[in-house]
Amino acid sequence: MMKKPVFPRIIGLLFLYGAVFVAIVMIQFTKQGGFTRRIGDFVITGQYRAPEAGDMPGSANKYFLQGGIRIFFGGLEFSLTGDDDGFGFVKTGGERDLVLPGAMVLSGEGVVFSFPGGTELSFSTQYIKGKPELRISARLDEETEVLELPYKPLKTSRIQDDGEGQFLVLAEGENYTFGHSSLDNRRQVLLLNRDEPGISYWAVPEKNAFGPEDFIISQARDKQEYENALNRWREQNYSLWNRLIANASEEDLIIAYEAESLRRGTYRLAQSAVPAAFLTGNQKTFRSSVFLGQMTAGLRSLSAFEREKIGRLSRLLNEKSLDFLKEPNVFEFFALRDYGAFIDDGAALVSALDPLTLTADISPGIIEGFVDWQIYRPRADNPFARLIDQACFLISERMRRDAGGELCLVFLEEAADPLFNLRLGKALVAYGESAREEPWAALGRSLILSVLSLENAEGTFPGGLLLSETGEPGENGGLPRQSAALIYRVLAPGDYFPRAAPVNAGTGGLWAWTAASALRVVQTNGILDIAVSFPVGETHYMILRGVKPFAKIQLYDMDFRTDPQFERYDSSGWVYSAQEQTLLLKMKHRSAVEHIRLFYL
């Protein structure tokens, strides 16, 4: 066999090694020198540098930087340079420091700049109603209080006042705004701090033809007229429940009857009217324990309810499913129990949600989340804020009115669920009142009254409605009808409906299951003073969760000893479970406001 010549093989290997060397050099130098890159809908300009000793290695999407960075979006230039343009870090002591980004990592439609010391600054774009939005957020190191990011308009842009205390940037045929973000307009500097680490800058969408005013029914336009209509509904059903109570076996009916009797001053008669079969049966849960006692069983029921609900929500969060938002007021549920990790996980899912993929069935959860976040995390960036417009838009697309104009409901896939509409109505009322958007609050009241108008003479509601060929809503006869007491539970009207109420401003996992009309808390010098409002001469029960072990308790300004048999006596009493960190309490009101004082060592 003839051997191949050696010399050509050597030449071939030299060419191969040379090609590899050239490729390595080219790859190295693509990450050096000046650059201009488009990421999503914004443009970055700056200068790469070669990796140095001590640089942390990264992925192929990591680039080391030298000098400053400029970012262009929506007719503005955002500057991360040292050119006396205002960029810098304000430290804890008030001193100002200029630190330039050392590296950037590209990811999808965004980029994250990292600075010496640990601060990170990210830019990303998304679309809302077909319009671009730039999201800027900072993760500050421990020594930095504020990151100041300067901006200035491009030569082709102009700034004008919108007449409402904000300004608009007119660029490329669009109007852009920062909304109510934290900024110093005189210095033209954005302010990112620990309380407000995120800022949005977006193109203002064109006004949609839909206006909530178009769907507001007559009784919902005025808040007092709405309250009058709601009270008439309660009066009508109280008469019905009064006739049914003697043979009642449905806990919802028992609760509705007791709560409404409290309002009318007939509470003791209502308590004595509850059938013995219900008191000794297995239909009773923690929900009615605030009226009827049996607190040990009530606590077992509450614990089982919480375990099941937490397990279900935890599974949905682990699966990164937005179906967790179908649970009413889920963020309030987490906040009351001080489940910070669940709140963070849920907020991360909401923050990652593309508004264009938002669906109408979770819109009530978005609106509830916006309001609850303002209550329980008022100083943190609200992840629901950027989704509110899209949620309202989805609702508007599915709103339908009857020919008479006094019934308006939201239909999903040509079907309307009364319970869904009731929940949505309550959410819109809360949102409208919180955001001072009265038309949306009036629309929420319209949905609520529309649902209540569906009740028949027997006190039941359709399980669902369908649209006819003419577009008129009609009952879906294939679904079972629902009781007025169930509607009452979802609506939860009045001061005495059983509910989970925050104690100590809803922090630390301390909360109460109660029917008290009000709870007020003062904590001083190791004493937790809970003021409870309830009608004079009446007795109610409370389950206080998250109560840490205490030295003693006072009722009526007197030390009160625990007694496992406290429910048997015609007086107040309590028992404490250290394992559950739960205080079970019976309170007989000698005055309209009684005080529960817990003394800690």
Side-chain angles (χ1 to χ4, degrees):
M1 182 181 295
M2 294 183 61
K3 293 184 178 180
K4 294 183 179 179
V6 174
F7 182 72
R9 295 174 63 191
I10 294 175
I11 296 298
L13 288 172
L14 289 175
F15 272 113
L16 176 61
Y17 291 145
V20 171
F21 176 76
V22 169
I24 292 173
V25 170
M26 290 179 65
I27 291 171
Q28 179 67 30
F29 279 90
T30 58
K31 291 193 176 184
Q32 296 188 57
F35 70 88
T36 297
R37 300 192 64 145
R38 185 176 188 87
I39 302 173
D41 284 282
F42 60 92
V43 174
I44 302 177
T45 65
Q47 191 169 1
Y48 296 131
R49 67 168 174 83
E52 299 173 353
D55 283 334
M56 294 291 292
S59 66
N61 290 327
K62 183 174 183 177
Y63 298 82
F64 294 99
L65 305 172
Q66 62 182 8
I69 291 290
R70 299 181 190 278
I71 297 171
F72 303 89
F73 175 86
L76 292 183
E77 174 190 321
F78 302 89
S79 179
L80 287 68
T81 70
D83 301 335
D84 295 325
D85 55 8
F87 177 74
F89 296 2
V90 179
K91 297 297 183 177
T92 304
E95 65 275 14
R96 203 167 183 282
D97 192 13
L98 171 63
V99 183
L100 299 181
M104 69 177 183
V105 176
L106 308 183
S107 176
E109 302 289 300
V111 60
V112 179
F113 297 101
S114 57
F115 296 81
T119 291
E120 293 182 346
L121 182 64
S122 66
F123 294 77
S124 61
T125 55
Q126 61 189 5
Y127 276 79
I128 297 180
K129 297 183 184 178
K131 299 292 184 179
E133 175 185 319
L134 178 67
R135 178 71 177 167
I136 307 170
S137 59
R139 189 173 66 84
L140 304 179
D141 62 60
E142 294 181 355
E143 298 180 356
T144 299
E145 290 296 322
V146 181
L147 188 155
E148 296 187 339
L149 176 62
Y151 62 88
K152 64 180 181 182
L154 303 179
K155 292 182 179 180
T156 57
S157 308
R158 61 188 179 94
I159 295 179
Q160 71 177 31
D161 193 322
D162 70 350
E164 298 180 359
Q166 303 175 48
F167 66 87
L168 296 175
V169 178
L170 280 63
E172 301 171 355
E174 298 279 6
N175 293 331
Y176 291 84
T177 181
F178 285 106
H180 294 283
S181 296
S182 180
L183 54 83
D184 185 336
N185 192 26
R186 182 184 60 81
R187 295 168 52 213
Q188 292 192 340
V189 171
L190 302 179
L191 306 173
L192 296 106
N193 54 51
R194 297 188 187 282
D195 292 336
E196 295 186 49
I199 286 177
S200 291
Y201 176 62
W202 66 93
V204 180
E206 297 178 3
K207 292 291 184 181
N208 193 281
F210 172 85
E213 299 89 345
D214 298 333
F215 288 85
I216 297 172
I217 66 176
S218 58
Q219 288 184 312
R221 293 190 180 279
D222 179 74
K223 191 172 182 180
Q224 186 56 55
E225 192 171 349
Y226 163 77
E227 291 292 342
N228 293 340
L230 186 58
N231 286 335
R232 286 194 296 271
W233 181 82
R234 293 165 71 178
E235 290 289 343
Q236 169 190 324
N237 281 282
Y238 181 70
S239 298
L240 172 67
W241 298 328
N242 196 34
R243 295 194 302 271
L244 297 176
I245 190 65
N247 299 307
S249 60
E250 178 190 356
E251 188 176 42
D252 285 336
L253 192 154
I254 302 288
I255 291 172
Y257 183 65
E258 298 295 323
E260 288 298 311
S261 296
L262 260 171
R263 179 175 173 236
R264 291 161 175 79
T266 57
Y267 183 47
R268 294 186 194 180
L269 288 174
Q271 286 185 306
S272 63
V274 176
F278 178 81
L279 295 174
T280 58
N282 58 7
Q283 298 296 315
K284 185 176 176 295
T285 72
F286 70 93
R287 299 183 190 279
S288 58
S289 64
V290 293
F291 299 131
L292 306 177
Q294 299 184 18
M295 301 300 286
T296 302
L299 177 57
R300 285 198 302 269
S301 169
L302 175 60
S303 298
F305 165 80
E306 289 186 310
R307 282 194 301 271
E308 187 280 329
K309 185 167 181 175
I310 292 166
R312 175 164 39 84
L313 293 173
S314 176
R315 184 178 66 256
L316 291 171
L317 289 172
N318 288 336
E319 295 171 352
K320 301 190 181 306
S321 170
L322 289 168
D323 281 353
F324 82 96
L325 289 171
K326 294 180 180 178
E327 186 71 35
N329 296 101
V330 63
F331 277 85
E332 179 185 55
F333 177 84
F334 291 148
L336 286 179
R337 292 156 179 81
D338 201 27
Y339 291 158
F342 286 101
I343 294 176
D344 293 341
D345 289 346
L349 287 180
V350 172
S351 298
L353 176 62
D354 181 350
L356 293 180
T357 65
L358 184 65
T359 54
D361 59 342
I362 62 171
S363 290
I366 296 295
I367 299 168
E368 290 170 347
F370 175 84
V371 176
D372 289 341
W373 194 276
Q374 287 187 313
I375 295 172
Y376 294 102
R377 287 199 172 184
R379 302 182 66 184
D381 187 37
N382 193 326
F384 296 93
R386 66 187 183 89
L387 301 172
I388 284 289
D389 285 346
Q390 183 70 3
C392 291
F393 176 74
L394 292 172
I395 291 166
S396 70
E397 287 189 318
R398 292 157 177 81
M399 194 77 68
R400 301 289 184 270
R401 292 185 73 164
D402 69 343
E406 289 303 309
L407 178 73
C408 79
L409 294 170
V410 171
F411 282 75
L412 304 182
E413 297 180 357
E414 306 304 316
D417 180 352
L419 297 182
F420 175 88
N421 277 270
L422 201 58
R423 179 191 173 195
L424 176 59
K426 289 178 61 181
L428 286 174
V429 169
Y431 165 69
E433 293 177 351
S434 172
R436 298 180 181 178
E437 294 277 359
E438 173 55 25
W440 286 104
L443 180 61
R445 297 194 294 265
S446 298
L447 289 175
I448 292 171
L449 293 183
S450 293
V451 171
L452 299 186
S453 71
L454 300 174
E455 183 176 4
N456 66 10
E458 287 74 39
T460 63
F461 288 75
L465 289 90
L466 298 172
L467 287 176
S468 68
E469 293 181 358
T470 61
E472 285 291 297
E475 181 175 353
N476 182 353
L479 296 176
R481 293 185 66 86
Q482 299 163 330
S483 71
L486 172 61
I487 299 296
Y488 185 91
R489 170 156 67 89
V490 176
L491 185 59
D495 294 331
Y496 301 116
F497 191 83
R499 68 197 184 283
V503 178
N504 200 26
T507 60
L510 181 58
W511 61 280
W513 182 255
T514 181
S517 59
L519 294 178
R520 292 177 297 278
V521 180
V522 176
Q523 188 166 12
T524 55
N525 301 323
I527 302 174
L528 183 67
D529 186 340
I530 307 172
V532 184
S533 299
F534 205 72
V536 177
E538 304 295 5
T539 300
H540 74 109
Y541 302 82
M542 294 175 62
I543 301 176
L544 283 165
R545 294 286 255 172
V547 178
K548 292 180 171 53
F550 50 89
K552 68 175 182 177
I553 186 171
Q554 283 189 350
L555 306 176
Y556 313 117
D557 297 320
M558 299 183 297
D559 292 355
F560 249 69
R561 293 183 179 180
T562 185
D563 185 345
Q565 307 297 320
F566 71 96
E567 290 192 57
R568 294 187 176 184
Y569 310 121
D570 186 25
S571 64
S572 300
W574 63 276
V575 67
Y576 177 70
S577 169
Q579 181 179 357
E580 295 265 8
Q581 290 202 344
T582 298
L583 177 65
L584 305 179
L585 184 78
K586 176 184 179 183
M587 176 61 74
K588 186 170 184 177
H589 277 248
R590 299 175 182 175
S591 60
V593 178
E594 295 288 1
H595 290 263
I596 305 163
R597 294 187 177 93
L598 303 178
F599 292 76
Y600 292 88
L601 297 176

